[in-house]
Every structure is written in structure tokens, then in C-alpha cells.
Amino acid sequence: MTRTVYINGQYLPEAQATVSVFDRGFLMADAIYEVCAVLEGKLIDCQGHFTRLRRSMAELSMNLELSDDALLEMHRTLIEKNALDEGLVYLQLTRGVVDRDFAYPPEDTPPTLVAFTQDKAIVESALAKRGARVATQPDLRWHRRDIKTTQLLYPSMAKMAAKAAGADDAWLVEEGYVTEGSSSNAFILTQDNVLVTRELSTDLLHGITRAAVISLAEDEGLAIELRAFTPDEAKSAREAFMTSATSMVTSVISVDGHLIGSGAPGPVADKLRAHYLEHSRAHAM
Ligand code: PDD
């Protein structure tokens, strides 16, 4: 089946959905994005993703005429047109098409909005079953990581370096502390059963899954500390895991080759994954 993608109000076969070479998303990475998971044809946490999209837009003075209701409708239409049962919807918004200049174009320049689906097994993920091996890499990204921009080259480089080191993904480290994963937030469970994840700041993306998992962990009665942790603390943790729309809750079983706990997904991470799935299904839209 040919994939149907959304581009500026139209639903087109992917081969016909094209963007100008003068689009600022292409020329300057002047673009933001969001990713919503889809389970059984329904969107997970999409209101949170739309709220973060609005925040990214505000931080970058970007415009979009579509309301959240219209965005939801567009996501649902894409899911239907692509008969998507499980996977992801990517939304990408750029500052539009204009002759190349470092200055932003006039405010009334129409933005470019595209969205597309990706078929992906999220629940029955082989990586979640086995647990992910991570390798630490220096965090060399810019310092507005709270804005979800499409400037993803460094996270790609870090992931490739992690893979070259025999791991599945990278955990990024700055001034001795883990900031987050290449495309996920990072958590550890200490030997004293305290769940630790970094506090929100401009140093990391404010993960929608992170927020949901913290709230579920609170409901579980788990002690939670919002603070940075070092790679050494992660290596000696009882458990570790990452969160994102694409991985939900996925155990981390080793850091730089050091096994965490028994080197298998831990019971607390497994439970939080199960609860997050349950919560997601109950609130899917
Ligand atoms: N990435 N940190 C970074 C750097 C991310 O890129 C992501 C998500 C997260 C988790 O955020 P959320 O829980 O809202 O998905 C944290 C998406 C999934 C991606 O780039 O594909």
C-alpha cells in the first residue's frame, strides 16, 4: 500500500508530497516536530504532544493556523488513510519557503506542515523484551534541548558511535552527568529503590512519556528524586530504563558494558511499562 502523507492541507501519495528546496526546514533546520504513538488505531498522549508543539512554536516565534482539534482530526485521517493499527505519527512544522537568509521571514510567511505515519511494533518490541545496552557519549548538542527541533544530526552521530561501541543507543553526558538518551529520557532505580530522573531545564527535552511515567510511579508509591545522575551511579543502579513515545518504557540492561542488576529487564521497569501501556490504552484518542 502506498503511504499517504499530509502536506499543507492535502493528503497525497508519498511520492507526490514534496517540499521546496527553499524550505527553511531543509536549508536551516528551522523546524520542529512531534511524534505520537498509535495503539489499536488510536493516539497516545496526543494532547501532551500538541501542548509541547505549541511551546516549541512559542519559543521560536513560529505560526500555525490549525487548532489542536484540527491537528487531531488530521492525525486521525492519516491513521485511517494508512490503515495504521500500531506505530507512529510524525508531525513536522517549518518556518516555510523563502529566499535563504539568516533573519526570520515576515510573520505572515505560510509555514510548511507535513505529517506521516510509520508502521512499527511498539508493544511487542524485541528491544524492550531484551533490554537496551547503552553507551555514554558526550552531549554536544545546542543548549535549547527543551525545544523539539529537527536538528537531529548530533543525536544520530551519538547513536552511531554507541552502535560502533556495541550498544543499541547512546546516553548523553555533560559535565559528568547524564542529560538524556539520543531520543529518550533516562531513569535509574537506585539500590534503595528511589527512582531518579533529571529535573526539567533547557538541558533536556521535556518528555511527554517521562511525565506520564513519573505520575504512574507516584501512584505506585515509589520514591522519586528529580536530579541528575552520573554514569557511575547508573552502572551501580538496581535498574535503569528510558522513556519516549517510540520506546514507551524500555529497560536499559547495561551502561558502557557494565551490566545493571542481573543484566535483564528489571521488575520495576517491567511494571511501569505495563502500567504505561494500560494507561495509554485507557486514554487513547
Ligand atoms: N524522541 N529526549 C529526546 C532527545 C527525544 O528525542 C525524545 C523523543 C524524548 C522523549 O520524549 P517523548 O516521551 O515526549 O517522546 C526525550 C522522539 C520519539 C523521536 O525523535 O523519534
Side-chain angles (χ1 to χ4, degrees):
M1 191 170 103
T2 306
R3 187 159 45 171
T4 297
V5 311
Y6 171 92
I7 174 163
N8 296 330
Q10 286 188 292
Y11 296 90
L12 296 175
E14 65 174 75
Q16 289 171 32
T18 53
V19 176
S20 162
V21 293
F22 295 107
D23 196 288
R24 283 180 64 94
F26 175 64
L27 293 179
M28 333 245 338
D30 188 353
I32 55 178
Y33 76 113
E34 278 298 332
V35 191
C36 286
V38 173
L39 294 181
E40 290 150 28
K42 289 189 171 171
L43 291 153
I44 306 306
D45 276 341
C46 67
Q47 191 50 58
H49 289 280
F50 294 164
T51 302
R52 188 173 59 193
L53 177 74
R54 302 286 171 194
R55 182 179 180 278
S56 296
M57 284 169 53
E59 293 299 315
L60 296 173
S61 309
M62 287 174 89
N63 299 314
L64 179 66
E65 277 185 5
L66 267 65
S67 66
D68 282 7
D69 283 350
L71 287 179
L72 178 60
E73 204 42 52
M74 179 268 272
H75 276 61
R76 284 180 169 156
T77 305
L78 259 192
I79 290 169
E80 197 190 309
K81 285 188 183 294
N82 291 287
L84 184 69
D85 180 58
E86 189 168 317
L88 304 160
V89 180
Y90 284 83
L91 172 158
Q92 317 259 150
L93 176 69
T94 85
R95 205 181 298 277
V97 179
V98 67
D99 210 10
R100 194 184 187 287
D101 193 333
F102 276 84
Y104 290 175
E107 261 180 41
D108 59 357
T109 304
T112 301
L113 179 64
V114 306
F116 58 90
T117 56
Q118 212 174 57
D119 217 317
K120 192 173 182 231
I122 291 178
V123 179
E124 295 301 321
S125 143
L127 190 66
K129 280 208 180 89
R130 195 235 303 140
R133 299 170 297 222
V134 301
T136 57
Q137 291 294 320
D139 196 342
L140 301 180
R141 297 172 299 165
W142 78 330
H143 283 276
R144 289 305 308 274
R145 302 159 191 158
D146 55 313
I147 307 174
K148 197 164 172 64
T149 76
T150 62
Q151 300 174 67
L152 296 174
L153 186 53
Y154 187 71
S156 287
M157 287 169 71
K159 184 159 184 163
M160 293 309 287
K163 281 183 177 288
D168 302 297
D169 208 341
W171 270 11
L172 304 173
V173 177
E174 186 171 59
E175 292 173 2
Y177 291 91
V178 174
T179 50
E180 57 184 334
S182 68
S183 60
S184 61
N185 290 115
F187 286 72
I188 57 168
L189 182 74
T190 68
Q191 292 296 342
D192 304 331
N193 286 312
V194 178
L195 196 59
V196 181
T197 193
R198 196 171 173 121
E199 71 277 17
L200 296 182
S201 70
T202 53
D203 294 338
L204 71 164
L205 187 72
H206 302 183
I208 304 304
T209 322
R210 171 192 177 279
V213 167
I214 288 174
S215 151
L216 292 171
E218 275 167 357
D219 294 347
E220 285 282 316
L222 270 171
I224 299 167
E225 279 178 17
L226 298 182
R227 62 166 175 84
F229 59 84
T230 63
D232 278 347
E233 200 178 358
K235 285 173 197 164
S236 59
R238 188 179 285 270
E239 295 185 31
F241 60 89
M242 55 173 105
T243 61
S244 69
T246 46
S247 68
M248 304 227 137
V249 176
T250 292
S251 277
V252 167
I253 53 168
S254 69
V255 174
D256 291 336
H258 293 254
L259 291 187
I260 296 178
S262 61
V268 172
D270 277 351
K271 202 169 177 182
L272 287 170
R273 180 178 174 86
H275 283 188
Y276 181 65
L277 276 170
E278 216 172 280
H279 164 90
S280 296
R281 289 195 171 106
H283 297 91
M285 292 175 77

